[in-house]
Amino acid sequence: MDRIIQRTNNPFSPFLLKLFIVGLLVGGAIYYLLNSHLGSPVLNKETLRIGEVKRGPFSVQVVGNGQIAAKDPDWVVARVEGQVIKAPVKAGQLVNKGDMLLELSNDNIASSYAKSQSDLQAAQADLNLLLANLDARKTELKAAVIHARLDHKQIKARYDALTRLKTTSVIPIPELEYVNTQVGVEQAEGKLEVAQLELNSFHKIAKAQTSAAEFRFNAQQQEAERIKKQFDDLSVRATRTGIAQNINFNPGESVNTSTPIAQIVDPDSVYVTLSVPAIQASQLTVQQKVELQINRKQVQGYVHRVDPNIKGSTVDVDVYLNEARPEDAKIGMYVTGTIYIQSIAEALYVEIPARVAERDSMSVYLINKEGNIARLTAIKSGALSAHYLQVIDGLSIGDKIVLSEITDRESDTFRLN
């Protein structure tokens, strides 16, 4: 007996089933293409610096490198040309004012010095001889005046006596004797007058001759002193007591005029000069607190001066110490300094990205939560510190951004692998 078999109606025909599966595959592919950014450039995640946005106390700091320098150093320079024959002082050595730093040799100066001293001695001898001759002549003229005065006094006394006798005596006075005596008085008066005139004239002549001789001697003396100064300058000496810096000469080397010989400094009078990024220079003011790292020791200081001129990408800042110089801190030693600009109790912040704009609108590549996509996002930045950037708007706690420089910025989106 034949069994009757009943067929169950299939709601999906084979054709419809295949069509449904194809639709699922196409839809999934389209969804994947739309959400996987397969057309975006790819970045290797391992080669990127990535920063995470945090919240907490934020300190605005500027870090710079520099070195210890001396306040008000004395530069010693050569005043004459010469060849080094002695170099008794080396860099770092303590010297006293007047100590010899270099001894130079110059045959021309030495010869000129010897000749000038000889000429000065000759000029001194000529002046002394002139003064001696003038003094002797003055003595002679004074003696002539004295003799003329005595002769006049003697003949005048005789004439006066004869005059009295002539008027009172009964004995007649020879007229010839009386007249001769009267003439003798006149002659004596003339001789006295001439002797006095010669003495007066001598004073004027002697003064003129002495002035001329002294002028010649003084000129010779000045020339001798000028040459002596050149000769003395062959011995280059310390201008103050302190440490000799930047001195390095050896016998036989030539030195020209104005060649720097050494720098004399007070080892206890020092400051630090830091080079800081110019982008942060606008935040710097005098008296700001500075923490210096000197030979593994922390030393406190303050900003004394900010150089108004930018050198390349940095600005020089002079820092004075609040405390005594550490004993092991030497002039020229390299140091690191942190300048404290501002403290914010709580703020969003992230490590400084490659392209940064302080207190301005800027763009960064924000990484999605899955960590596979970096999309260009606009943010608003705040204060810039030594290592961190304050975030005002556009990012949240825990967000991660690309810190590295991305050269191909034509794409707003990158895939990370």
Side-chain angles (χ1 to χ4, degrees):
M1 177 176 184
D2 294 335
R3 179 180 294 180
I4 300 173
I5 300 176
Q6 295 180 345
R7 293 184 179 180
T8 305
N9 293 330
N10 189 356
F12 297 99
S13 66
F15 174 76
L16 292 176
L17 182 60
K18 292 180 179 179
L19 184 61
F20 177 74
I21 293 174
V22 170
L24 286 176
L25 293 174
V26 171
I30 294 174
Y31 178 82
Y32 179 76
L33 289 174
L34 292 175
N35 291 275
S36 64
H37 305 280
L38 288 177
S40 301
V42 179
L43 294 176
N44 187 354
K45 201 172 183 178
E46 294 182 356
T47 64
L48 298 177
R49 289 176 51 246
I50 296 175
E52 182 178 346
V53 179
K54 300 178 181 180
R55 178 183 290 275
F58 182 74
S59 177
V60 181
Q61 304 170 0
V62 176
V63 176
N65 297 317
Q67 60 186 107
I68 300 175
K71 295 180 182 177
D72 304 322
D74 275 12
W75 276 102
V76 181
V77 299
R79 300 184 182 277
V80 294
E81 296 181 356
Q83 190 175 40
V84 178
I85 57 176
K86 287 184 180 180
V89 175
K90 298 299 181 182
Q93 186 174 333
L94 176 65
V95 296
N96 295 315
K97 183 177 181 180
D99 285 354
M100 183 186 297
L101 304 178
L102 284 183
E103 185 175 349
L104 306 177
S105 173
N106 187 308
D107 293 341
N108 291 333
I109 293 179
S111 176
S112 297
Y113 172 69
K115 183 177 183 303
S116 68
Q117 293 300 306
S118 176
D119 292 343
L120 181 61
Q121 292 177 0
Q124 181 70 69
D126 291 342
L127 178 60
N128 292 340
L129 179 60
L130 174 65
L131 294 176
N133 291 334
L134 291 176
D135 189 61
R137 180 57 178 164
K138 180 180 179 180
T139 301
E140 291 177 359
L141 292 176
K142 282 185 175 181
V145 170
I146 292 173
H147 291 156
R149 185 176 291 115
L150 291 175
D151 290 344
H152 174 265
K153 185 176 182 181
Q154 183 178 11
I155 193 67
K156 183 68 167 57
R158 179 175 177 77
Y159 174 73
D160 291 341
L162 290 176
T163 301
R164 286 193 300 273
L165 288 174
K166 186 176 181 180
T167 57
T168 60
S169 177
V170 294
I171 301 174
I173 300 297
E175 187 66 21
L176 181 59
E177 182 181 358
Y178 182 77
V179 172
N180 288 337
T181 304
Q182 184 178 19
V183 172
V185 170
E186 293 176 357
Q187 289 177 343
E189 289 178 349
K191 290 180 179 180
L192 177 59
E193 183 178 358
V194 170
Q196 191 64 55
L197 288 175
E198 287 182 348
L199 179 60
N200 293 339
S201 298
F202 170 79
H203 286 308
K204 296 179 181 179
I205 295 172
K207 184 177 180 180
Q209 290 180 346
T210 302
S211 296
E214 288 179 344
F215 178 83
R216 291 191 297 270
F217 173 77
N218 290 335
Q220 185 63 47
Q221 189 177 45
Q222 290 178 3
E223 178 65 10
E225 289 175 354
R226 183 187 68 82
I227 297 176
K228 182 179 183 300
K229 187 177 184 306
Q230 289 183 338
F231 183 78
D232 291 341
D233 287 339
L234 290 173
S235 297
V236 184
R237 300 183 180 277
T239 55
R240 62 185 288 188
T241 298
I243 300 296
Q245 300 283 341
N246 302 312
I247 178 171
N248 185 21
F249 291 90
N250 296 306
E253 292 185 34
S254 295
V255 172
N256 296 321
T257 304
S258 300
T259 296
I261 301 300
Q263 189 182 41
I264 310 298
V265 301
D266 181 353
D268 294 321
S269 181
V270 299
Y271 71 103
V272 172
T273 175
L274 296 176
S275 294
V276 303
I279 191 173
Q280 296 175 282
S282 61
Q283 304 179 75
L284 302 177
T285 60
V286 297
Q287 298 300 322
Q288 285 175 334
K289 176 186 174 183
V290 183
E291 189 173 88
L292 300 168
Q293 192 76 17
I294 301 178
N295 203 16
R296 298 183 181 180
K297 295 180 180 178
Q298 289 186 350
V299 180
Q300 302 301 315
Y302 63 92
V303 175
H304 174 72
R305 185 186 73 95
V306 179
D307 195 330
N309 301 310
I310 297 177
K311 298 178 180 178
S313 61
T314 62
V315 169
D316 288 341
V317 178
D318 293 344
V319 178
Y320 280 13
L321 306 184
N322 286 334
E323 51 194 281
R325 172 188 64 86
E327 292 184 1
D328 56 350
K330 305 296 184 182
I331 294 173
M333 179 182 291
Y334 287 95
V335 301
T336 299
T338 301
I339 304 173
Y340 291 88
I341 307 297
Q342 179 186 7
S343 293
I344 302 174
E346 188 173 0
L348 285 176
Y349 62 90
V350 69
E351 291 181 69
I352 299 175
R355 296 192 181 187
V356 62
E358 183 181 12
R359 304 180 192 278
D360 201 357
S361 296
M362 55 180 290
S363 296
V364 296
Y365 282 96
L366 175 64
I367 301 175
N368 64 359
K369 293 182 179 180
E370 290 76 14
N372 60 350
I373 300 297
R375 182 178 289 108
L376 196 64
T377 303
I379 69 169
K380 185 176 181 180
S381 65
L384 179 66
S385 185
H387 304 290
Y388 297 98
L389 174 68
Q390 182 188 15
V391 179
I392 302 298
D393 190 24
L395 296 175
S396 302
I397 300 176
D399 284 348
K400 294 182 178 181
I401 66 171
V402 177
L403 303 175
S404 303
E405 172 68 21
I406 297 179
T407 56
D408 181 13
R409 295 181 67 93
E410 294 182 358
S411 178
D412 293 342
T413 305
F414 286 90
R415 286 185 296 136
L416 305 179
N417 61 13

